[in-house]
Amino acid sequence: MLDKLEKIEKEALKTLASVKDKANLEKWRLAKIGRHSPMMNMFSQMASLSKEERPAFGQGINRLKALLEKEFEDRRAHIKQAELEESLASEKLDISLPGRPVKMGRLHPSTQNLRRVLGILAEMGFQVYTARDVESDEYNFQLLNIPPHHPAREMQDTFYIDTGNNDESEKQVLRTHTSPGQVRAMREFSSQNPDNPPPIRIALPGMCYRFEQITARSEVQFNQVEGLVLGQTITFGDLKGTLSEFARRMFGSHVKTRFRSDHFPFTEPSAEMDIECYVCGGKGCSVCKKSGWLEILGCGMVHPSVLANGGYDPARYSGFAFGMGPERQLMLRHKISDIRYFWGNDIRFLEQF
Ligand code: PHE
């Protein structure tokens, strides 16, 4: 009988040594120390032993039971520890590894440049004023000295909006330039104090639309920034001084500027401002088309009848206005050869800004 106990012990300890996980440990427990295990069966055999044999056997089997139960607990603790170590190893974090970069969005290059232009004008005392994208024919053209059939309308091919109303002044258009905002602003300010309208110094940004064939050089939409300065003593000298200072802040302190006379129906006299080509320094290159100069904006003294349309008495008030294209400036600055990139949504283009 004692031999049998010894055999059970040896066999149980041997199999326990190869148990590596909880599931097999449970199987082992049921098989070796469970109620129906050979060891537990031995207890029932006690009755068949003689009085003399019983004490030794009793001791032996109790010792075996205690031993196997202790070995079982030790094994369980060992497996638990091993599993913990394994899970720690698999979740190990190397904090010295570089992180995964988060992709940052960015502003569209047009928006970036628009903000830059407005930032400079704001520093120079201009207030941002916004007007509508959908304009009446009256504001977009007539109040700016462009009556129906005026040849200047042909320069600005227009998107008309079908409202069912064909009355000339009621026609609605997508604004072809930001200049109609001039009259809107003048009317708003002059209505505050009709006898003594306040001076104005505003920058007026916004999208403009033209009904054109889309090519590398022309798009159906583009931004403009309009400027308007009105007061009682504003001269062409103020226009030149203000715009030259703007050009210095925008393109660098050494930039050379020149004004060429031009024509716009809503300004008189009118001019275009050029800056010396910053690609070739005025020597002539492909960007400036060999002229040495880059045209960057149109400007002029606000026409007396436009002042009057805005509620400002041209006998007492004068002012200047200008309009520029932020996309055009970007194209010159970065030698972008095709205007279609701006609204093409090609991430390879946009990511460069
Ligand atoms: N509105 C003109 C254009 O679209 C630009 C301009 C604005 C010219 C203000 C003079 C004064 O080209």
Side-chain angles (χ1 to χ4, degrees), residues 306-322:
V306 176
L307 283 173
N309 288 339
Y312 281 77
D313 179 0
R316 288 166 57 212
Y317 288 86
S318 59
F320 66 87
F322 54 90

Side-chain angles (χ1 to χ4, degrees), residues 48-253:
S48 64
L49 293 177
S50 65
K51 242 186 176 177
E52 294 71 37
E53 286 171 314
R54 262 186 225 167
F57 179 77
Q59 267 182 9
I61 193 161
N62 280 328
R63 191 195 58 82
L64 175 62
K65 186 166 178 277
L67 173 76
L68 293 188
E69 279 169 359
K70 182 178 176 301
E71 287 294 324
F72 169 75
E73 285 304 331
D74 286 355
R75 195 74 198 161
R76 183 154 74 177
H78 175 80
I79 289 173
K80 209 171 158 190
Q81 180 65 23
E83 280 177 357
L84 181 66
E85 273 165 20
E86 196 181 319
S87 85
L88 281 178
S90 72
E91 289 165 26
K92 197 170 141 193
L93 200 62
D94 183 350
I95 57 166
S96 68
L97 285 175
R100 289 193 198 100
V102 177
K103 257 210 157 183
M104 291 281 278
R106 68 194 74 208
L107 292 174
H108 189 281
S110 278
T111 309
Q112 289 180 30
N113 196 46
L114 202 58
R115 291 196 179 178
R116 174 141 188 261
V117 170
L118 292 176
I120 292 171
L121 289 173
E123 281 169 12
M124 294 173 69
F126 285 76
Q127 196 181 335
V128 173
Y129 185 92
T130 52
R132 54 184 72 183
D133 285 35
V134 178
E135 267 297 359
S136 62
D137 182 283
E138 186 185 18
Y139 275 89
N140 194 75
F141 294 121
Q142 296 170 42
L143 295 170
L144 294 171
N145 270 345
I146 314 174
H149 314 300
H150 190 283
R153 288 195 181 212
E154 280 178 22
M155 295 172 2
Q156 305 192 348
D157 296 298
T158 311
F159 282 112
Y160 283 91
I161 290 168
D162 189 3
T163 57
N165 185 342
N166 276 328
D167 182 352
E168 207 58 53
S169 308
E170 296 288 316
K171 272 190 192 161
Q172 300 291 309
V173 303
L174 294 181
R175 67 175 164 202
T176 57
H177 51 173
T178 42
S179 301
Q182 286 187 31
V183 186
R184 292 212 174 264
M186 282 189 255
R187 286 189 169 180
E188 187 182 323
F189 285 98
S190 64
S191 67
Q192 292 166 9
N193 188 352
D195 297 330
N196 239 340
I200 292 180
R201 187 160 50 188
I202 55 167
L204 217 158
M207 195 65 89
C208 302
Y209 309 85
R210 293 197 190 162
F211 185 42
E212 281 186 281
Q213 181 70 44
I214 299 174
T215 67
R217 320 189 113 252
S218 62
E219 249 292 2
V220 292
Q221 66 177 77
F222 53 89
N223 282 289
Q224 278 194 347
V225 177
E226 189 93 3
L228 175 67
V229 177
L230 286 191
Q232 305 217 10
T233 57
I234 306 290
T235 66
F236 199 86
D238 295 314
L239 177 156
K240 284 184 77 173
T242 304
L243 292 178
S244 302
E245 177 58 20
F246 170 79
R248 278 193 284 277
R249 295 189 188 205
M250 184 77 195
F251 300 102
S253 54

